[in-house]
Amino acid sequence: MRCGFDHLISVIPETSVAIRVLAGQNGLDESGITATFGNGLCRIPVAIGHTSASLAAQAVTNLLAQRPDLSHRIKAVVLAHSIPIAAASGVDLLAPSLQAGSLEGQAAVVISGQPCAVLHSAIQLARIWLSGLPLEAAVLVIGVDVANHPEERFFFNSAMGDAAIAGVLTQTATNHLILASITETHVMACSGEFSEGVAISRFRAENPTAIRTVIEHCIAVAGVELDKIVLIVPHTPNNSLWTAVAELLRFPRERILTDYIGETGHMNSNDSFVHFLRAIHEHRLVGGDLALLVNPGFGGTRSCTLLQV
């Protein structure tokens, strides 16, 4: 089924905090700070005064303010988050987004798990949902993660920045077309950063090859050759992983977009979409270009979505 994002936006907090400041708040030692700097991180955006629920709602508000014509077409909503607890007990994560778009009567679902890769699964679910709706219908896809406390931000010498994504998926879109979107899972470190050391080491050793495999599968599904990809836009916990992937793929490292890592850190499953939109804004991607968005989640899930700008 042909479909794409009729409109796609990101919301990045205007407030950013230096890694060293956050590290001091979190009690990170000097070796951890040095390693985080070494991975390319410098500052991250922090959504002061926001929760995941409110930042998601802000994304919906901004999107429909730009494209109010899409509001009446939305017949379903999918919201994805990666952090384990996205809303406090008794708080409805979805309600603010539905209210922001006057969508209270529409079907809606929240999905999580697959840390750092789940937004791609949300897109895959939305595509299936859309295929059963009338041609003029649309599905609203939201991705959001706002850390609840500083301790959530630091992991494996990287740091989490806050962000939200909102996009309206339709069968009539003429840009941001989804040529393929796949997720593959082989769990080796089932407890994430709390997994046993041997499981973490095994995952790290096998991860670059597994990323190459999912990329190859994604472009094969789309029927596209790797050299036709203008940019690979990955998630950004560090730089070194993508140097290894570039070597395995025999793909030019300069065409794997990690330039923004110093300003954003790692935004869980949202960061590849944030960087994709920024690359368009900066004319690094133009109409018709192919961009492969990749998010490997720690532990064993890898997702790819191939978009034509």
Side-chain angles (χ1 to χ4, degrees):
M1 180 191 68
R2 175 189 171 92
C3 68
F5 285 105
D6 219 314
H7 199 49
L8 179 66
I9 69 159
S10 64
V11 174
I12 313 302
E14 295 181 0
T15 304
S16 67
V17 181
I19 293 296
R20 185 168 290 279
V21 171
L22 283 170
Q25 296 173 354
N26 199 43
L28 195 68
D29 61 28
E30 193 61 34
S31 64
I33 296 172
T34 300
T36 303
F37 284 148
N39 277 334
L41 286 78
C42 182
R43 305 182 67 86
I44 59 172
V46 175
I48 297 172
H50 274 290
T51 63
S52 290
S54 66
L55 196 66
Q58 185 64 60
V60 174
T61 297
N62 292 1
L63 181 141
L64 294 178
Q66 294 173 19
R67 289 290 304 275
D69 58 298
L70 293 174
S71 179
H72 75 281
R73 298 178 61 183
I74 297 171
K75 303 304 178 185
V77 181
V78 183
L79 185 151
H81 67 89
S82 289
I83 59 174
I85 301 174
S89 178
V91 174
D92 190 328
L93 178 61
L94 257 176
S97 291
L98 298 179
Q99 292 165 3
S102 299
L103 301 169
E104 292 92 339
Q106 305 301 343
V109 66
V110 175
I111 65 171
S112 188
Q114 300 179 336
C116 306
V118 70
L119 184 51
H120 297 264
S121 291
I123 289 171
Q124 293 152 27
L125 173 59
R127 290 179 80 195
I128 294 169
W129 208 337
L130 187 64
S131 69
L133 294 174
L135 181 64
E136 68 278 6
V139 178
L140 174 62
V141 179
I142 307 166
V144 66
D145 277 302
V146 174
N148 295 303
H149 48 76
E151 290 79 7
E152 281 188 331
R153 296 194 182 278
F154 287 94
F155 43 85
F156 297 124
N157 300 323
S158 187
M160 172 191 164
D162 301 327
I165 294 291
V168 177
L169 197 67
T170 74
Q171 297 183 58
T172 58
T174 57
N175 58 351
H176 304 338
L177 300 178
I178 299 173
L179 304 188
S181 185
I182 67 171
T183 293
E184 297 180 349
T185 299
H186 176 205
V187 177
M188 288 173 276
C190 60
S191 298
E193 62 183 307
F194 302 109
S195 301
E196 294 183 359
V198 64
I200 291 174
S201 296
R202 181 187 171 200
F203 169 77
R204 284 175 162 166
E206 297 186 16
N207 196 34
T209 301
I211 292 170
R212 178 185 65 180
T213 299
V214 77
I215 287 173
E216 292 174 343
H217 287 176
C218 188
I219 61 176
V221 168
V224 171
E225 298 294 329
L226 183 62
D227 62 3
K228 302 300 183 184
I229 306 297
V230 174
L231 286 177
I232 291 178
V233 188
H235 81 167
T236 47
N238 62 65
N239 277 313
S240 58
L241 171 62
W242 300 106
T243 298
V245 171
E247 292 174 355
L248 286 170
L249 282 171
R250 298 182 181 178
F251 189 81
R253 178 62 178 85
E254 64 271 16
R255 285 165 57 193
I256 299 181
L257 184 61
T258 54
D259 298 14
Y260 310 136
I261 187 173
E263 302 171 39
T264 65
H266 180 29
M267 297 172 166
N268 295 352
S269 67
N270 306 299
D271 49 10
S272 62
F273 294 85
V274 169
H275 303 323
F276 169 73
L277 289 169
R278 180 167 173 180
I280 293 171
H281 177 73
E282 295 180 355
H283 306 293
R284 300 176 73 166
L285 289 169
V286 298
D289 282 351
L290 300 180
L292 185 68
L293 281 58
V294 188
N295 284 75
F298 190 89
T301 296
R302 286 153 290 273
S303 294
C304 286
T305 297
L306 179 61
L307 290 170
Q308 184 173 34
V309 177

